[in-house]
Amino acid sequence: LRVVSYYNEYKSYLSNRMDTKKLYGLFHDCYEGKIKNDDVIGFIKSNNSTAEQQNDIADMLSVLDIESTTKEDVKDREVFVSVLQGVVKYLRHDILKERLEYETLERVKLISNSKQFNTKYVRTRTKLFYKQQKYNLLREENEGYNKLITELANPSSDPQTTVDNILKLIGRFDLDPNRVLNLILETWQNYLENSEFFLSLIRLFPKQQGSLCNMLGFNFSFYSADPEETPDSLFRVAAFLIHKKVIDLHELYNYLGPSFDEMKAQYNKALVEARNTAKNLLTVSLNKDEDADKDQERDQEENNSSTCNQKVKLCIALIEIGCWTEADDLIHLLAPFCVPRDPKGRQVIFDLLSWRIHEFYKTCVNSAVTVKHVKEIANDPQVKSWSDFSQLVFVPLARLGPYLARSAVLFTKILRIFGRYVRDHKDKLITDPIAGQIMTITNDVILPSLSTVSCNYNFTSLIWDYIQHFPYHIRYRLYAKWKNEAYKKNPVLIVTKAETVHKSRYILKRLTKENVKPFGRQIGRVSHCNPCVIFEQILSQIQRYDNMILPIVSALKYLGMLSFDVLSYCIIEALSDPDKEKQKEEDTNISWWFQVLAQFCGHIYKKYSIELSGLLQYIVNQLKANKSTDLLILKEVVQRMSGIEISEEVTESQLEAGCGGSVLLAEAGFFSPIRHTERSNQRLQEALSKEKIWLPLCILASQQRHSLIFGNDERYTKLTARLYDQCQDTFTQLGQFLTTNPTINQCLNALPSFEELCTMYHLQADSAFFLLRTKLSDQIKSGITLDGETPEPYIESSDKAMSVLSDQVKLMYSPKVWDKISPRLFATFWSLSASDIILPTARYDAEIERIEGLIKQVNDNDELAQRRKDKEIERHKEMITKLQEEHKAQALNHSLVTARLEAEKDTWFTSSSSKVDAKMQFLQVCIIPRSLFTATDAIFCAKFVDICHTMQASNFSTLIYFDRIFTDVSHIVTNCTDNEASRYGRFLNETLSGIARWHKDKALYEKECRKSPGFVHVVRNDPNSDEKRIEKYLDYENFRHVCCKWHFKLTKAMVFCFDSKDYSQIRNALTVLNKILPQFPVVLNLAQALEKRILKVKEEEKTARPDLYALAMGYSAQLNSRKSSFIAEDKFHHVEAKKSANTDNSNANSRNSSPASRKEKRAESVKRREELESEKKRRREDDAKKSGGSGGRQSEEKKIKEPSPKVKTNGTRDKDVESDEHKSKVRKK
């Protein structure tokens, strides 16, 4: 029975043990790849139910661990570690820590650091087995030390008596004085409430100088091996002695650990670990538990980093007893943020600040706010005034750094106090010293502390409550340091930035226009505390994907005001990035990222109330540096916020509305109604009128046009033209916004005079008058009563204003100019606007009719509520009233201006110069520059000439003017930009439209032109009288001949541009032809000549320059659609029948003649043609010699047959008539 019992016990013992041989074999099979790791893990998992089995497994794993480390094959080691990682969760960790190597434990995450674990293990073994217990010195003099301890534990009220008794004990029992002093200090640590008694005792006790400091230093050195075991009472005793000046802090500092180098190394190590964490944070981690463990370890390391520091604990003790001065000196000697990193260290600073501002905070906040009681700190002063606040609060706040937000109550109190002071002293913030200290604390403490908060809009609101009163350049300086410096100095902020970037990318990857609301809220939560980080990611995303603009703009509605202000700074910083080029490498286009950012600026500033001063000042600074590319930002902002669009592709109705008042322009002059931008329009007005920044913007934008052309920058012509158009468009857009808004319109009266704008600011005449027109109009109308029946006061007032302006205008050009035209004409022409001479009555009526139709639609809409209907109808009726009132005012102004022009028309053109010279000068300084300025100005130029003809201005020849217009059109087209070519085309179209009216209707021509002085074509002196002159007017049929000649010249100029192969000439010619298509071409043979050249352009440019090919294709399609309206030349003007008969006879004779005779005739024809060509060539050479060698276009003259009109428009060789020599001179010029 005993044997059976032993056998059963042995059997049960074996059943509880692990088959280690089998486990060993499984591992080797796994090494050789015969089985998988999961098989070994499954075997261990199913055989670890008992403690004996786990011990056997641990033993075998220990053996395998040693084997794998000694093998040269690294693969076996990696397999072992991989299997071990899978079975760790099934085994007891304490057994594994006993058996396995430190390196293996670290790899399977059982310990965090093998070196630290080894050190702790050695210390534990040393303490258990090798460390000797201290020898108890009290055994020698038991009675003496017993009596000493009794005396110290039961002190008398008189410290002197206690000292005398201690001295007696020393003498009686021969005690060691140093040991007695040490016992006094140890007893003090146990009776801290009797600190004053022990302090007096220490002062009365006889001792050598420095012995007390050495004694304390010896005690601190004793605990240096394990700083965590240093008792807090020792730090309190040392702090009290330092506070009472018994010992010196700097003497005791050398005994404390760790050293400064060690602390600096710990701080640098924390920075490196934080940067590594930031790098790894953006990688995808599938193990959430592992991430949580890492966060917990990081927090634990942060808490333990300062508790092992004796210097930090001494600083804490000093602050607890109210000894801030010495504590601040000690903080200076420590590594950055060493004290606030410790939870207890920052808590004592929180208590100190809370105590100091407690009473003062009650006076700064609303009485309804409940102020809780705070911990009292003895011997520490409290703040009673703003000067005390500056001395007692700012320094402790600066020591906290980014850890202030760990106390939400104190953070809120500080922000409220700052807000109260800034509101009370907002008029002198720039020079106030306390305000400067507030901004320093905001930069070093407030904003970095805000970054450590997860999400708290209250903090953001309180910060904006006082920071908004500072100028934008001070705020932007804070944001720059916050964004570019704060996140690099502190480990906590480094990790915070990485976490924010991770969240931002997560949100932006999933943001679409369908889920704007939920993800917009997430953007708002992140931006409350870390706006710089998330906005950097947002702007980077926008620069890559322009379709993200609208979703992001909509998602930003949950931002606070501080976040919007930071966004404005981030936009400016992104725009001024020196590492990015605003022009593409090929230097022909503006970079895509810059265009997208400009569009984003327009959208974001329109939708949200963000301060514009910083962005506008940035644009001004860029323009001062001759960087005209940034005008694109201003163009987008003005267009989005005001609704004013500058486009060359406007309709005729929009152009007509542009000739009316501001109300008509706002309603019908743009593609989108301006009433939808009322709020943003008002904000833009306030931003421009603030500090009058609109004036430098206007002047600099105008100066950029001149700088682009004559600057030293080497650019492609195509890019220069594009930038020039951008400058011009932005300048006219800004000027139109200023003149159509009454708030800034009043500021325009403060503009400098015309002379100052041209001489001091170097503006051209077109820009200066564009800005001054409103001011001049107000000057003329001020002080008089406007009445259409009695225009004399208006005429007198305008005469005075024009007289002063004429004197200033004379300085613009040489006196030779004013010999041909009068300064009064120049001043009048440039000072008038299109609304002064054009009354768009039809446009007003059409707009009123359209609004009445809207009223009818509202009435018929049964889905709208009655209240909504009444509101819409009232708004429409108010608009009709405004349009009617404006139309009436425009009609009155038009009648007054007409009367004024009628009064001064005879002073415009001088009689001393020839009509040709006068018209050339008029075109050079008035018509051509203004027709290229804006599309409305192009219409104005054509209308002004029509007024000169209708009013029969003295010495004005309409016929010569038209002839000069169509002479050498190619030179003007060549020198135009894209937009200028479009405007010039509109001007030509208006001019051709007026000519076509007379050409089509003989009765109209006879009525308006037949007896007009402008259509005198021959002037001769009467041979029978010296005083009388014979004037011949151009009849209708000769006018048709002249029209054909002008069409021919225009065709010839376009053909010249097409044959030049120059990009600008071809593009501009196509642009002009598109604009004048309603009026030209009309004659069939001229249209065929153009079509032939267009076909050639399409063939040549199809692959070389696709943009020209596209333009040519578009024009060709439109030209083909108008083929049915083309007429033969004989229908356009009378062609001589004789010429046609001779041609028919010659053709008939050639058909009837024999082959030989036909051959002879062909030879004679060729010979005759050669003789004619040689004669023409000789005449041209003679003309060139006479005129100084004018360059002609012989090749182009051969391509199109010029019609020969019966009457020359230039007349004879009188001084008022253009001669052939003069033609050559003009052509040369």
Side-chain angles (χ1 to χ4, degrees):
L1 291 174
R2 188 177 298 132
V3 171
V4 172
S5 176
Y6 287 155
Y7 176 77
N8 292 333
E9 289 179 1
Y10 182 71
K11 186 176 180 181
S12 64
Y13 169 77
L14 291 177
S15 64
N16 292 331
R17 305 294 297 193
M18 163 64 70
D19 189 357
T20 54
K21 290 184 179 181
K22 184 176 181 181
L23 179 61
Y24 186 84
L26 288 174
F27 265 98
H28 278 276
D29 291 341
C30 189
Y31 290 162
E32 296 174 1
K34 296 180 180 180
I35 61 175
K36 298 181 179 179
N37 296 355
D38 294 338
D39 297 335
V40 181
I41 296 172
F43 177 80
I44 296 175
K45 180 179 178 182
S46 59
N47 294 280
N48 68 340
S49 58
T50 63
E52 290 82 5
Q53 289 178 341
Q54 293 211 2
N55 277 320
D56 293 339
I57 293 172
D59 291 337
M60 183 52 61
L61 290 176
S62 176
V63 174
L64 292 169
D65 185 15
I66 295 172
E67 284 184 358
S68 63
T69 54
T70 56
K71 286 184 178 180
E72 296 181 357
D73 191 1
V74 184
K75 181 181 178 182
D76 294 348
R77 175 67 177 170
E78 296 299 323
V79 172
F80 172 75
V81 173
S82 176
V83 174
L84 186 59
Q85 288 175 347
V87 301
V88 162
K89 62 178 98 175
Y90 306 118
L91 302 176
R92 289 171 54 188
H93 292 181
D94 54 344
I95 298 177
L96 295 177
K97 289 181 180 179
E98 291 177 0
R99 313 291 170 85
L100 300 180
E101 295 294 328
Y102 303 142
E103 180 185 357
T104 306
L105 292 174
E106 184 179 6
R107 292 192 64 178
V108 297
K109 308 298 182 181
L110 288 179
I111 61 175
S112 59
N113 193 320
S114 59
K115 293 183 180 180
Q116 291 182 359
F117 186 82
N118 185 31
T119 303
K120 189 173 182 180
Y121 174 73
V122 172
R123 286 180 180 175
T124 303
R125 287 178 55 85
T126 303
K127 187 175 181 180
L128 289 175
F129 303 111
Y130 300 102
K131 192 173 183 179
Q132 292 183 346
Q133 299 297 326
K134 294 182 180 179
Y135 186 73
N136 189 1
L137 297 176
L138 295 179
R139 294 176 183 176
E140 292 184 347
E141 300 289 347
N142 291 336
E143 185 180 358
Y145 284 112
N146 287 338
K147 291 184 180 293
L148 176 62
I149 293 173
T150 303
E151 184 68 27
L152 293 174
N154 301 289
S156 62
S157 58
D158 185 11
Q160 185 63 47
T161 304
T162 304
V163 170
D164 293 341
N165 294 335
I166 292 173
L167 293 177
K168 291 176 183 179
L169 291 174
I170 292 174
R172 175 68 181 82
F173 295 100
D174 195 16
L175 302 179
D176 185 1
N178 291 328
R179 179 59 184 157
V180 171
L181 182 59
N182 191 31
L183 282 173
I184 293 174
L185 293 175
E186 290 182 359
T187 307
W188 189 357
Q189 296 177 37
N190 296 317
Y191 296 95
L192 292 175
E193 65 275 7
N194 297 328
S195 295
E196 292 294 337
F197 170 78
F198 283 102
L199 177 64
S200 302
L201 193 64
I202 291 293
R203 285 177 172 173
L204 295 174
F205 188 82
K207 55 189 177 297
Q208 294 181 354
Q209 185 178 3
S211 60
L212 181 61
C213 184
N214 293 334
M215 186 67 65
L216 282 173
F218 176 78
N219 289 334
F220 281 114
S221 300
F222 175 77
Y223 294 105
S224 60
D226 194 359
E228 294 183 10
E229 297 184 1
T230 307
D232 293 339
S233 57
L234 181 59
F235 292 105
R236 293 292 296 271
V237 171
F240 200 82
L241 292 173
I242 293 172
H243 178 52
K244 298 300 181 179
K245 309 297 182 183
V246 178
I247 62 174
D248 185 45
L249 172 64
H250 296 280
E251 293 180 4
L252 183 62
Y253 179 81
N254 297 324
Y255 293 98
L256 304 176
S259 65
F260 179 78
D261 294 336
E262 292 176 348
M263 288 188 294
K264 190 68 176 178
Q266 291 176 0
Y267 179 74
N268 293 334
K269 180 182 177 183
L271 285 176
V272 172
E273 291 178 352
R275 293 189 181 104
N276 293 334
T277 303
K279 289 180 181 179
N280 299 330
L281 191 63
L282 300 179
T283 58
V284 179
S285 177
L286 301 177
N287 192 346
K288 297 183 178 179
D289 297 335
E290 184 180 348
D291 294 341
D293 294 340
K294 289 182 179 179
D295 296 338
Q296 187 176 0
E297 290 177 5
R298 187 167 60 249
D299 296 339
Q300 186 176 1
E301 289 177 3
E302 180 183 347
N303 294 334
N304 294 334
S305 60
S306 297
T307 54
C308 301
N309 194 322
Q310 293 178 339
K311 297 175 181 178
V312 173
K313 298 183 77 172
L314 177 59
C315 183
I316 293 172
L318 288 170
I319 298 174
E320 286 178 340
I321 64 174
C323 184
W324 170 254
T325 304
E326 289 76 8
D328 188 47
D329 293 340
L330 182 57
I331 292 174
H332 270 293
L333 302 175
L334 303 179
F337 307 114
C338 198
V339 175
R341 285 186 67 191
D342 179 41
K344 190 175 181 181
R346 58 176 173 262
Q347 185 59 48
V348 295
I349 300 179
F350 293 159
D351 295 339
L352 176 74
L353 289 170
S354 300
W355 164 251
R356 287 186 173 183
I357 68 173
H358 180 63
E359 297 297 331
F360 187 70
Y361 175 72
K362 295 179 181 179
T363 62
C364 292
V365 299
N366 190 356
S367 58
V369 178
T370 303
V371 181
K372 296 182 179 180
H373 182 70
V374 297
K375 181 181 178 181
E376 182 179 355
I377 298 179
N379 304 320
D380 193 71
Q382 287 187 304
V383 176
K384 297 181 180 179
S385 63
W386 287 113
S387 59
D388 294 342
F389 186 86
S390 174
Q391 297 174 3
L392 299 176
V393 176
F394 285 133
V395 176
L397 278 177
R399 299 292 174 258
L400 280 172
Y403 297 92
L404 175 60
R406 301 294 177 94
S407 175
V409 176
L410 178 62
F411 197 18
T412 303
K413 289 181 179 180
I414 294 296
L415 294 178
R416 287 176 178 173
I417 293 173
F418 283 0
R420 174 63 183 273
Y421 183 85
V422 172
R423 285 193 301 271
D424 294 344
H425 302 81
K426 59 184 178 181
D427 296 333
K428 52 178 182 179
L429 292 177
I430 303 299
T431 58
D432 188 84
I434 296 180
Q437 290 178 311
I438 288 176
M439 297 312 292
T440 302
I441 293 297
T442 303
N443 177 51
D444 298 336
V445 180
I446 301 297
L447 295 180
S449 298
L450 182 65
S451 298
T452 61
V453 183
S454 59
C455 176
N456 194 320
Y457 178 72
N458 180 51
F459 291 158
T460 306
S461 175
L462 291 174
I463 293 173
W464 179 250
D465 186 45
Y466 74 87
I467 203 177
Q468 65 177 329
H469 298 289
F470 288 87
Y472 73 89
H473 57 87
I474 295 179
R475 301 198 307 270
Y476 286 1
R477 193 181 304 130
L478 294 178
Y479 304 151
K481 293 183 178 179
W482 186 17
K483 180 177 182 292
N484 302 318
E485 297 180 10
Y487 288 103
K488 300 178 181 178
K489 296 180 179 179
N490 192 279
V492 177
L493 294 181
I494 292 174
V495 177
T496 301
K497 180 179 180 180
E499 293 173 348
T500 307
V501 170
H502 178 68
K503 293 178 184 177
S504 304
R505 292 179 179 176
Y506 174 85
I507 295 170
L508 294 176
K509 284 180 181 178
R510 292 157 178 80
L511 178 64
T512 61
K513 61 181 180 180
E514 288 81 13
N515 57 12
V516 165
K517 194 170 184 178
F519 283 100
R521 288 197 177 103
Q522 295 187 35
I523 291 176
R525 282 194 290 268
V526 176
S527 68
H528 289 332
C529 301
N530 289 282
C532 296
V533 181
I534 189 171
F535 292 150
E536 185 178 9
Q537 298 298 316
I538 287 175
L539 294 176
S540 176
Q541 186 91 343
I542 287 174
Q543 293 175 49
R544 291 193 295 267
Y545 310 106
D546 63 324
N547 59 346
M548 292 292 294
I549 292 179
L550 295 180
I552 287 178
V553 170
S554 301
L556 295 180
K557 62 183 176 181
Y558 298 100
L559 267 60
M561 293 307 301
L562 177 63
S563 300
F564 278 126
D565 201 45
V566 176
L567 175 60
S568 181
Y569 161 75
C570 291
I571 290 174
I572 296 174
E573 187 184 49
L575 290 170
S576 58
D577 188 355
D579 297 331
K580 291 185 177 181
E581 294 293 336
K582 296 180 181 179
Q583 297 172 5
K584 293 184 179 180
E585 294 181 358
E586 60 270 19
D587 217 15
T588 57
N589 291 308
I590 299 175
S591 297
W592 174 251
W593 70 269
F594 186 73
Q595 297 182 43
V596 173
L597 273 185
Q599 295 175 20
F600 178 72
C601 288
H603 286 284
I604 199 71
Y605 283 101
K606 175 191 175 183
K607 187 166 186 178
Y608 302 108
S609 180
I610 308 176
E611 185 176 353
L612 275 163
S613 301
L615 184 67
L616 295 177
Q617 187 61 49
Y618 164 77
I619 297 173
V620 169
N621 296 339
Q622 293 295 98
L623 293 179
K624 288 180 180 179
N626 286 332
K627 297 180 180 179
S628 59
T629 312
D630 293 88
L631 277 173
L632 179 62
I633 309 168
L634 181 63
K635 180 181 178 181
E636 289 289 338
V637 170
V638 175
Q639 178 176 333
R640 299 291 179 185
M641 297 187 70
S642 66
I644 297 177
E645 304 174 20
I646 299 298
S647 174
E648 294 303 319
E649 302 302 325
V650 293
T651 62
E652 294 298 328
S653 60
Q654 289 175 334
L655 269 180
E656 192 176 357
C659 300
S662 58
V663 178
L664 180 63
L665 181 64
E667 281 297 309
F670 307 107
F671 293 103
S672 58
I674 288 187
R675 64 174 178 274
H676 295 162
T677 61
E678 291 179 355
R679 294 183 180 179
S680 58
N681 195 319
Q682 183 64 30
R683 287 190 285 109
L684 182 59
Q685 292 181 43
E686 294 173 358
L688 289 173
S689 58
K690 188 177 181 180
E691 299 179 2
K692 294 184 179 180
I693 199 171
W694 59 269
L695 182 58
L697 274 175
C698 291
I699 292 176
L700 288 168
S702 177
Q703 290 175 347
Q704 282 302 308
R705 301 186 307 159
H706 186 81
S707 177
L708 280 169
I709 299 175
F710 300 101
N712 296 324
D713 295 342
E714 295 182 0
R715 296 189 183 94
Y716 291 109
T717 306
K718 183 178 178 180
L719 178 61
T720 302
R722 185 169 298 177
L723 293 176
Y724 185 92
D725 284 337
Q726 178 180 297
C727 292
Q728 174 67 22
D729 292 346
T730 308
F731 174 69
T732 54
Q733 182 188 40
L734 182 60
Q736 194 170 1
F737 172 76
L738 297 176
T739 54
T740 54
N741 288 279
T743 304
I744 305 183
N745 198 1
Q746 298 176 359
C747 301
L748 293 175
N749 294 325
L751 275 169
S753 64
F754 175 80
E755 183 179 359
E756 292 179 359
L757 287 176
C758 295
T759 56
M760 185 182 300
Y761 298 105
H762 307 287
L763 263 64
Q764 301 298 316
D766 51 2
S767 302
F769 275 108
F770 179 73
L771 295 174
L772 287 171
R773 281 190 193 112
T774 303
K775 178 182 178 180
L776 293 173
S777 178
D778 294 341
Q779 286 180 354
I780 293 174
K781 296 177 182 179
S782 61
I784 63 173
T785 303
L786 299 180
D787 187 0
E789 297 180 358
T790 56
E792 286 77 13
Y794 177 83
I795 295 174
E796 293 177 1
S797 178
S798 63
D799 184 67
K800 293 178 181 179
M802 290 299 104
S803 299
V804 175
L805 187 59
S806 299
D807 295 336
Q808 298 177 0
V809 160
K810 290 180 180 179
L811 304 175
M812 283 290 296
Y813 299 100
S814 64
K816 293 182 180 179
V817 175
W818 311 123
D819 292 340
K820 298 166 185 173
I821 62 172
S822 66
R824 188 62 171 269
L825 171 63
F826 186 89
T828 301
F829 177 84
W830 282 104
S831 62
L832 292 175
S833 62
S835 59
D836 292 329
I837 63 175
I838 302 174
L839 182 61
T841 303
R843 187 69 251 164
Y844 276 104
D845 296 340
E847 193 62 25
I848 291 173
E849 185 179 354
R850 183 186 68 83
I851 297 176
E852 290 175 348
L854 293 177
I855 294 176
K856 185 178 180 181
Q857 290 180 7
V858 172
N859 285 324
D860 296 340
N861 191 351
D862 298 332
E863 296 180 358
L864 287 177
Q866 187 61 38
R867 185 176 179 181
R868 177 74 178 276
K869 283 185 178 182
D870 296 340
K871 187 176 180 180
E872 288 292 321
I873 292 173
E874 183 180 359
R875 183 174 64 83
H876 290 318
K877 288 183 178 179
E878 288 179 359
M879 182 54 62
I880 291 176
T881 304
K882 289 181 181 179
L883 287 172
Q884 291 174 345
E885 292 176 354
E886 186 182 73
H887 183 217
K888 189 182 297 182
Q890 288 294 110
L892 175 60
N893 179 69
H894 180 266
S895 63
L896 293 174
V897 172
T898 303
R900 164 192 165 186
L901 297 179
E902 187 71 33
E904 62 180 42
K905 64 178 181 178
D906 295 331
T907 62
W908 290 345
F909 300 96
T910 59
S911 58
S912 58
S913 63
S914 68
K915 292 183 179 180
V916 176
D917 293 339
K919 302 310 166 294
M920 286 296 298
Q921 203 65 62
F922 181 52
L923 285 169
Q924 183 179 359
V925 300
C926 293
I927 296 296
I928 299 302
R930 186 159 184 178
S931 65
L932 302 180
F933 197 73
T934 63
T936 308
D937 286 324
I939 307 300
F940 170 86
C941 292
K943 182 63 177 176
F944 188 85
V945 173
D946 185 59
I947 290 175
C948 292
H949 170 76
T950 304
M951 292 185 176
Q952 299 183 0
S954 298
N955 301 309
F956 178 76
S957 175
T958 311
L959 203 58
I960 296 177
Y961 166 80
F962 286 142
D963 193 64
R964 292 293 90 203
I965 283 291
F966 297 105
T967 301
D968 295 331
V969 174
S970 59
H971 294 316
I972 300 176
V973 173
T974 302
N975 294 320
C976 286
T977 64
D978 294 348
N979 291 352
E980 286 180 341
S982 175
R983 297 163 197 150
Y984 185 63
R986 290 188 184 277
F987 167 70
L988 290 179
N989 183 65
E990 286 295 317
T991 304
L992 289 170
S993 175
I995 294 173
R997 287 174 54 249
W998 296 328
H999 180 273
K1000 293 178 181 178
D1001 192 345
K1002 182 176 181 180
L1004 182 64
Y1005 177 83
E1006 295 290 339
K1007 178 182 177 182
E1008 296 182 359
C1009 306
R1010 184 70 177 84
K1011 295 299 181 180
S1012 173
F1015 276 77
V1016 174
H1017 71 99
V1018 175
V1019 179
R1020 288 190 178 90
N1021 292 328
D1022 189 352
N1024 301 324
S1025 175
D1026 296 336
E1027 298 180 359
K1028 295 181 180 180
R1029 297 196 305 173
I1030 300 175
E1031 296 180 349
K1032 290 188 177 181
Y1033 297 93
L1034 191 69
D1035 60 16
Y1036 178 69
E1037 193 56 43
N1038 280 329
F1039 172 71
R1040 296 180 70 194
H1041 283 299
V1042 174
C1043 288
C1044 188
K1045 174 187 174 183
W1046 292 337
H1047 279 246
F1048 167 77
K1049 287 186 175 182
L1050 191 54
T1051 307
K1052 186 176 174 183
M1054 297 297 106
V1055 170
F1056 171 77
C1057 292
F1058 290 142
D1059 292 342
S1060 66
K1061 310 299 182 184
D1062 181 71
Y1063 174 85
S1064 298
Q1065 291 192 42
I1066 298 174
R1067 184 180 180 87
N1068 292 344
L1070 289 170
T1071 303
V1072 171
L1073 286 173
N1074 272 297
K1075 295 300 178 182
I1076 64 176
L1077 189 60
Q1079 308 297 333
F1080 178 85
V1082 179
V1083 183
L1084 180 60
N1085 61 338
L1086 300 182
Q1088 291 173 348
L1090 283 176
E1091 187 177 13
K1092 182 179 179 181
R1093 295 313 189 280
I1094 293 294
L1095 181 62
K1096 185 179 179 182
V1097 169
K1098 289 193 295 183
E1099 293 174 353
E1100 294 176 350
E1101 307 296 345
K1102 185 173 184 178
T1103 56
R1105 291 178 284 197
D1107 53 342
L1108 293 182
Y1109 172 75
L1111 279 176
M1113 284 291 294
Y1115 178 73
S1116 178
Q1118 295 184 65
L1119 192 64
N1120 290 333
S1121 65
R1122 293 181 54 86
K1123 276 187 176 181
S1124 60
S1125 62
F1126 297 155
I1127 59 177
E1129 183 180 352
D1130 57 350
K1131 293 183 179 180
F1132 189 79
H1133 73 116
H1134 178 68
V1135 179
E1136 294 181 1
K1138 182 179 179 181
K1139 182 177 179 181
S1140 302
N1142 291 337
T1143 304
D1144 296 337
N1145 293 333
S1146 62
N1147 292 335
N1149 294 333
S1150 63
R1151 286 193 298 269
N1152 298 328
S1153 60
S1154 63
S1157 61
R1158 287 200 299 270
K1159 188 174 181 180
E1160 292 176 359
K1161 289 182 179 180
R1162 280 198 298 270
E1164 292 177 1
S1165 177
V1166 170
K1167 184 177 180 180
R1168 195 182 311 111
R1169 192 180 303 115
E1170 290 177 354
E1171 291 176 355
L1172 290 174
E1173 292 294 337
S1174 61
E1175 181 66 21
K1176 288 182 180 179
K1177 184 176 181 181
R1178 185 184 61 78
R1179 289 181 180 178
R1180 283 196 296 268
E1181 290 176 355
D1182 294 341
D1183 291 342
K1185 291 178 182 180
K1186 293 179 182 179
S1187 60
S1190 62
R1193 302 191 196 99
Q1194 292 84 357
S1195 58
E1196 283 71 25
E1197 290 175 357
K1198 296 176 184 178
K1199 295 176 182 177
I1200 305 173
K1201 186 177 180 181
E1202 180 178 2
S1204 55
K1206 290 184 178 180
V1207 181
K1208 295 182 179 179
T1209 58
N1210 54 352
T1212 62
R1213 293 178 178 268
D1214 293 339
K1215 63 179 181 179
D1216 293 335
V1217 184
E1218 180 186 9
S1219 63
D1220 291 337
E1221 290 83 2
H1222 187 78
K1223 276 187 176 181
S1224 300
K1225 292 180 182 179
V1226 173
R1227 189 177 296 109
K1228 179 184 176 184
K1229 290 181 182 179

